[in-house]
Amino acid sequence: FSISARAATDPNDYNVLEGLRTSIQKLPWDKTITDPCQADNTWQGIYCTGSRVTQVQLKNMNLTGSLPDNFNQLSELKQLGLQGNSLSGNLPSFNGMSKLVAAYLTDQQFSTIPYDFFRGLTSLKTLSLQGNPLNSSNGGWNLPQDILSSSDTLISLDLTNSSLSGSIPEFIGSLTSL
């Protein structure tokens, strides 16, 4: 006789959240709650629709640490709010996060931005990378043409004090919603 328990959280999403739990300090997640999408016991700042994580809202929580490399595997993520913390390290790629609508990464200490960060962000409306020293040790970074994935949707892009360098690329004119 065996009892099969079914977890509420998608296993892949759970793996990404476990990566967050180990790479970010001061998270207010109760270690006794093992299923972040369980109806009665969600993890603070994690919002799910069914078994999938659709929002991560951890703003102004005094968090330190970094985002896991597999963060873009939260394929149903729509909203990300991390502003007001002290996260650092490499910003992971958001490549393929086609349902992401808004990402607030304001005033962190992310040191690098990957070349494919913007690839596949077809629903993105708002992105703030303000106040991050992205690639500053290498002279900054240039806005990649991959941002055109968001050409029909992007209405707000804040890159203030994010070590953006070079001239404004001509393709920026193709972002008609901006």
Side-chain angles (χ1 to χ4, degrees):
F1 179 81
S2 68
I3 298 175
S4 172
R6 183 170 181 264
T9 307
D10 175 83
N12 195 53
D13 288 3
Y14 181 81
N15 287 337
V16 174
L17 293 178
E18 272 299 306
L20 273 177
R21 190 195 302 246
T22 59
S23 64
I24 294 180
Q25 290 75 51
K26 302 180 185 175
L27 275 171
W29 295 345
D30 184 341
K31 293 182 192 265
T32 64
I33 299 172
T34 58
D35 196 342
C37 290
Q38 185 178 355
D40 298 337
N41 295 309
T42 60
W43 290 356
Q44 182 179 345
I46 301 300
Y47 300 89
C48 302
T49 300
S51 66
R52 302 304 306 272
V53 175
T54 56
Q55 290 189 55
V56 175
Q57 298 294 342
L58 301 171
K59 64 182 180 179
N60 300 321
M61 297 180 96
N62 231 4
L63 303 176
T64 59
S66 59
L67 295 178
D69 290 338
N70 66 343
F71 191 78
N72 66 337
Q73 292 179 17
L74 289 176
S75 59
E76 295 292 316
L77 191 68
K78 295 178 182 176
Q79 302 279 331
L80 175 62
L82 296 175
Q83 64 272 37
N85 291 299
S86 295
L87 301 177
S88 60
N90 300 329
L91 189 60
S93 176
F94 281 24
N95 181 359
M97 295 180 83
S98 63
K99 299 198 177 168
L100 187 65
V101 173
Y104 300 95
L105 303 165
T106 308
D107 295 327
Q108 306 300 319
Q109 294 301 311
F110 292 118
S111 57
T112 63
I113 185 167
Y115 71 93
D116 64 344
F117 179 85
F118 293 95
R119 193 171 296 156
L121 297 179
T122 55
S123 298
L124 191 64
K125 290 184 178 185
T126 302
L127 175 64
S128 179
L129 292 170
Q130 174 186 348
N132 282 284
L134 300 170
N135 299 357
S136 63
S137 63
N138 295 327
W141 63 289
N142 296 315
L143 195 61
Q145 196 158 355
D146 287 339
I147 198 167
L148 292 176
S149 297
S150 307
S151 65
D152 294 334
T153 58
L154 191 62
I155 57 175
S156 178
L157 178 64
D158 190 348
L159 304 175
T160 308
N161 295 324
S162 65
S163 302
L164 190 64
S165 66
S167 59
I168 297 173
E170 287 187 33
F171 64 78
I172 202 81
S174 299
L175 296 170
T176 56
S177 299
L178 192 60

